[in-house]
């Protein structure tokens, strides 16, 4: 049926918004049910029951939670779709009414087909009589033909044509809007059955993308992407509950990764976005998608496991080598917050989800022994360098990615400072391997790393500066852990490497051995500047185990580079990191520098 201007004029957009409210209530009920399952039923069941029956019950509850998660997502999309439709139709309705009001004030008549009749006006040049009226219709060009010089145009012609065109444009745009949203609404339907398989989440990812595109003018333009974290926090606080719910439903990827938004909100948004991302990647068969999907599934598994300290998903994305920011403990309510930046070859994959997350978890558990008000974060918010198999050079370990990553890390830490509720939190930045270079780059921006009072560098090939005091927190607050058998902490400088250093990590163990063997142990210059563990650098060196030797009877090993956080493999180092992260570094008996 063709839309008429009378139908557009009389359209009750409030009814669409009322329907949207109904879907919103359904979405909220599903979310409340899911929350009760996750925070009460599953927690109680895991804590009190054991055996096959308990495991089966956990599986059923998790399936129910997943189903409610899907209902929450789809109902939220329906709400925003209807609200966005009402928003766009109301804009055209307003434009139509303005045109009709102008016609009424001029005593014009707007007909059902949109044509506009105007009265006689003006005067003829010969007889002085008013020029006759007429009718303007869409697409006609009355009064625009060249004048003979004897007859002046009726001044009402152009006004009537403008009104006719405005009426037609409002109706045409409203009809196009209605057609576009009808297609989206037809897509928002669930498969039959009691389960929500991966394929359904793939469809949900497409649904969310369609609604995001349609709601661009309604919601997206309001997100303060270019604002400071403090300004974003204030923006979020000003929103109504309904507005927040809509942003969460349609733009979980935006809200979940926006520094300055409270941690509990980012966590909720990113858990939703995690499901959409897995659905999106599920339908692809390229190597990158399969690798990232494995990492996302492992993160999802841990989120459902109910770990303690509790997990908060503060960032997730598939851009570049992938993004993931996970906190063990709520960083907004903790007095002590540490953020660990991983290094070379780190990307969103299963290894990251298992091992890098464990490093943050170990730090959180260690810190909780000294102060229960602690949170530990792993921050993969940048593209760390990747060494392809067989690479015979460390040239990939340049400064560019550290510089870009350092800027992003500063934005994240500024967000933590803005949302933390304790007043003056103790923030610690931890850089491991190339991540220490990224932390070093972050310190060189104006004001240093926001809120950070202590810096920990472990397994560092240098940080880009030659003195601890250049990191902006005072050299007494820069701590270094360097295992005797960690070859990365003994990388020769770029000048020395010209003699033939080959790929340390991806080049294989033999290459690592060559690198360690030719490094000048008497020289305190490393790949990225002065050795942070050296006397000349001036940091405080905390004790760590020497680590497994690079070469022993079992062959080559780089394990000494990866055990700093592990309380089983290096209890001394892990405990030192925990003490520093809780502001108790005075209890550590420091080692002599190199």
């Amino acid at each position: 049926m063709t839309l008429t201007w009378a139908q557009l004029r009389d359209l009750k957009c409030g009814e669409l918004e009322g329907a949207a409210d109904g879907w919103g209530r359904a979405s909220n009920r599903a979310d409340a049910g899911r929350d009760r399952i996750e925070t009460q039923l599953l927690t109680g069941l895991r804590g009190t029951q054991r055996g096959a029956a308990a495991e089966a019950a956990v599986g059923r509850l998790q399936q129910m939670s997943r189903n409610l998660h899907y209902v929450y997502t789809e109902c939220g999309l329906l709400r925003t779709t209807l609200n966005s439709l009402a928003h766009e139709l109301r804009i055209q309705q307003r434009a139509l009414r303005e045109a009709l009001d102008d016609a009424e004030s001029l005593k014009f008549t707007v007909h059902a087909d949109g044509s506009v009749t105007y009265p006689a006006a003006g005067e003829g040049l010969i007889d002085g009589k008013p020029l006759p009226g007429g009718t303007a219709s869409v697409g006609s060009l009355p009064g625009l033909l060249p004048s003979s010089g004897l007859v002046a145009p009726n001044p009402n012609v152009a006004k009537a044509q403008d009104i006719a065109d405005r009426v037609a444009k409002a109706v045409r745009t409203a009809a196009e809007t209605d057609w576009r949203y009808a297609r989206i609404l037809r897509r928002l339907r669930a498969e039959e059955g009691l389960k929500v398989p991966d394929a359904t989440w793939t469809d949900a990812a497409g649904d969310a993308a369609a609604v995001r595109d349609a709601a661009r003018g309604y919601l997206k333009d309001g997100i303060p992407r270019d604002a400071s974290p403090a300004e974003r926090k204030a923006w979020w606080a000003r929103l109504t509950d309904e507005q927040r719910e809509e942003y969460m439903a349609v733009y979980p990827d935006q809200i979940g990764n926006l520094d300055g938004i409270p941690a509990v909100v980012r966590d909720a948004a990113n858990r939703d976005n995690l499901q959409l991302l897995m659905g999106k990647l599920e339908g692809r068969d390229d190597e990158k998608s399969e690798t990232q999907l494995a990492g996302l599934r492992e993160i999802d598994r841990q989120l459902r496991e109910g770990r303690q300290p509790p997990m908060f998903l503060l960032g997730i994305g598939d851009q570049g080598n992938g993004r993931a920011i996970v906190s063990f403990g709520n960083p907004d309510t903790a007095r002590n917050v540490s953020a660990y930046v991983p290094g070379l070859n780190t990307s969103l994959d299963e290894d990251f989800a298992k091992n890098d997350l464990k490093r943050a978890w170990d730090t959180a558990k260690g810190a909780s022994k000294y102060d229960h008000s602690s949170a530990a974060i792993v921050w993969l918010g940048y593209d760390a360098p990747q060494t392809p198999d067989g690479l015979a050079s460390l040239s990939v370990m340049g400064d560019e990615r550290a510089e870009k990553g350092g800027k992003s890390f500063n934005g994240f830490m500024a967000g933590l400072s803005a949302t933390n509720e304790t007043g003056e939190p103790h923030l610690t930045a931890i850089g491991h391997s190339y991540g220490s270079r990224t932390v070093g780059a972050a310190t060189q921006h104006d004001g240093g790393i926001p809120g950070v009072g202590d810096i920990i560098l472990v397994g560092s090939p240098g940080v880009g500066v030659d003195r601890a005091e250049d990191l902006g927190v005072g050299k007494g607050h820069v701590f270094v852990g360097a295992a005797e058998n960690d070859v990365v902490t003994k990388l020769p400088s770029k000048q020395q490497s010209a003699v033939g250093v080959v790929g340390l990590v991806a080049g294989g163990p033999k290459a690592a051995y060559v690198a360690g063997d030719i490094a000048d142990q008497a020289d305190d210059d490393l790949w990225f500047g002065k050795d942070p563990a050296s006397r000349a650098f001036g940091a405080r060196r905390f004790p760590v185990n020497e680590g497994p030797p690079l070469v022993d009877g079992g062959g080559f090993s780089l394990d000494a580079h990866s055990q700093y956080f592990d309380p089983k493999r290096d209890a001394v180092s892990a405990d030192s990191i925990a003490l520093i992260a809780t502001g108790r570094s005075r209890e550590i008996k420091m080692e002599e520098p190199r």
Side-chain angles (χ1 to χ4, degrees):
M1 183 179 70
T2 303
L3 182 68
T4 67
W5 66 260
Q7 290 172 325
L8 177 58
R9 178 197 61 192
D10 298 335
L11 179 67
K12 294 180 174 59
C13 292
E15 293 182 356
L16 288 172
E17 292 168 331
D21 290 341
W23 286 110
R25 288 190 292 273
S27 178
N28 290 339
R29 283 196 294 270
D31 190 41
R34 178 186 61 166
D35 183 67
R36 183 166 183 266
I37 289 172
E38 295 289 339
T39 61
Q40 297 181 35
L41 299 182
L42 281 174
T43 300
L45 191 58
R46 289 188 180 112
T48 60
Q49 304 296 318
R50 296 289 183 274
E55 290 178 4
V58 167
R60 295 292 295 273
L61 284 171
Q62 287 179 332
Q63 181 62 59
M64 185 181 298
S65 175
R66 183 175 171 85
N67 291 355
L68 289 172
H69 192 167
Y70 177 76
V71 172
Y72 161 77
T73 298
E74 291 291 293
C75 290
L77 293 176
L78 277 163
R79 171 180 54 189
T80 299
T81 300
L82 291 171
N83 275 335
S84 185
L85 172 60
H87 170 77
E88 291 195 34
L89 289 177
R90 188 173 275 117
I91 290 174
Q92 302 311 317
Q93 194 176 55
R94 188 182 307 117
L96 170 66
R97 286 172 176 165
E98 289 174 353
L100 296 177
D101 289 344
D102 288 347
E104 183 179 7
S105 67
L106 292 168
K107 305 268 191 294
F108 292 178
T109 300
V110 180
H111 301 285
D113 63 357
S115 59
V116 179
T117 297
Y118 55 89
E123 57 182 36
L125 297 179
I126 297 177
D127 57 11
K129 294 181 178 180
L131 296 171
T135 299
S137 59
V138 178
S140 64
L141 301 173
L144 298 183
L145 297 176
S147 173
S148 65
L150 299 177
V151 179
N154 184 331
N156 285 330
V157 171
K159 297 176 183 177
Q161 188 63 54
D162 175 65
I163 291 172
D165 290 342
R166 287 158 60 194
V167 169
K169 181 179 179 182
V171 173
R172 182 176 63 252
T173 303
E176 291 171 351
T177 298
D178 178 65
W179 176 81
R180 177 161 44 89
Y181 278 90
R183 291 180 62 197
I184 295 171
L185 288 168
R186 280 194 291 269
R187 288 185 55 170
L188 295 174
R189 50 186 296 179
E191 297 291 334
E192 295 183 3
L194 297 177
K195 291 187 177 181
V196 181
D198 291 339
T200 303
W201 276 109
T202 300
D203 292 339
D207 295 343
V211 176
R212 278 197 295 268
D213 184 63
R216 187 176 302 272
Y218 172 58
L219 286 177
K220 186 176 182 181
D221 292 343
I223 299 175
R225 293 173 187 78
D226 297 328
S228 69
E231 290 169 335
R232 292 168 181 166
K233 178 187 177 185
W235 167 76
W236 184 259
R238 289 194 301 268
L239 296 178
T240 65
D241 288 342
E242 182 178 353
Q243 288 172 322
R244 292 175 186 168
E245 290 165 3
E246 288 200 80
Y247 276 114
M248 293 275 283
V250 182
Y251 294 107
D253 58 327
Q254 301 283 332
I255 300 304
N257 291 284
L258 200 62
D259 298 324
I261 300 299
V264 292
V265 176
R266 292 180 69 163
D267 175 61
N270 282 318
R271 287 176 187 246
D272 296 337
N273 190 37
L274 175 62
Q275 301 303 318
L276 296 175
L277 278 174
M278 290 192 295
K280 170 185 171 182
L281 297 179
E282 183 70 36
R284 300 178 179 178
D285 58 5
D286 60 285
E287 183 178 357
K288 176 185 174 182
S289 296
E290 290 175 352
T291 298
Q292 291 188 345
L293 181 58
L296 293 173
R297 283 175 171 164
E298 174 59 22
I299 291 173
D300 183 54
R301 185 194 67 79
Q302 293 184 35
L303 286 169
R304 295 177 183 278
E305 195 176 52
R307 282 192 166 193
Q308 293 296 325
M311 290 176 66
F312 290 80
L313 189 57
L314 303 182
I316 199 73
D318 63 345
Q319 64 268 41
N321 294 328
R323 302 287 187 268
I325 306 171
V326 177
S327 179
F328 292 94
N330 187 341
D332 287 354
T333 58
R335 288 188 297 268
N336 304 290
V337 182
S338 64
Y340 145 60
V341 182
L344 187 66
N345 283 336
T346 307
S347 62
L348 178 55
D349 57 17
E350 191 171 11
D351 180 76
F352 166 83
K354 288 182 176 178
N355 296 320
D356 287 278
L357 262 65
K358 182 180 181 299
R359 291 172 181 172
W361 187 42
D362 285 337
T363 299
K365 289 191 298 180
S368 67
K369 293 187 303 183
Y370 300 108
D371 191 335
H372 289 294
S373 183
S374 298
I377 299 168
V378 54
W379 182 86
L380 182 59
Y382 78 122
D383 285 327
Q386 307 291 304
T387 55
D389 289 341
L391 187 70
S393 172
L394 291 175
S395 60
V396 291
M397 285 180 58
D399 297 291
E400 182 180 359
R401 296 194 179 204
E403 295 293 342
K404 290 182 179 179
K407 183 177 180 181
S408 298
F409 184 62
N410 278 357
F412 174 74
M413 298 304 288
L416 291 185
S417 296
T419 58
N420 189 276
E421 301 168 3
T422 64
E424 295 184 4
H426 172 236
L427 304 185
T428 303
I430 306 174
H432 174 244
S433 189
Y434 186 86
S436 66
R437 176 66 186 93
T438 303
V439 169
T443 67
Q444 300 308 294
H445 292 277
D446 290 344
I449 307 176
V452 166
D454 287 317
I455 292 175
I456 301 174
L457 310 169
V458 289
S460 176
V463 296
V465 299
D466 290 333
R467 301 180 307 168
E469 53 260 42
D470 294 335
L471 296 178
V473 294
K475 67 179 184 179
H477 291 274
V478 178
F479 304 89
V480 176
E484 182 60 29
N485 290 325
D486 183 355
V487 68
V488 175
T489 70
K490 298 180 180 180
L491 279 178
S493 67
K494 295 176 184 178
Q495 291 74 21
Q496 293 170 321
S497 68
V499 299
V501 178
V502 290
L504 173 62
V505 178
K510 185 177 292 185
Y513 177 73
V514 172
D517 188 51
I518 70 168
D520 182 355
Q521 302 301 317
D523 195 325
D524 58 10
D525 289 323
L526 299 183
W527 190 263
F528 290 117
K530 197 68 67 179
D531 177 6
S534 70
R535 187 176 301 279
F537 190 79
R540 301 174 68 189
R541 186 182 180 192
F542 58 87
V544 302
N545 288 347
E546 63 180 17
L550 185 65
V551 183
D552 60 17
F556 294 92
S557 171
L558 293 175
D559 288 350
H561 183 59
S562 59
Q563 64 183 33
Y564 293 98
F565 301 86
D566 193 321
K568 291 184 178 179
R569 294 194 295 166
D570 193 341
V572 175
S573 175
D575 193 57
S576 295
I577 291 173
L579 284 167
I580 297 166
T582 52
R584 299 163 70 105
S585 61
R586 63 187 178 278
E587 298 179 23
I588 303 172
K589 184 178 179 181
M590 298 295 171
E591 284 190 341
E592 287 296 314
R594 286 177 176 168

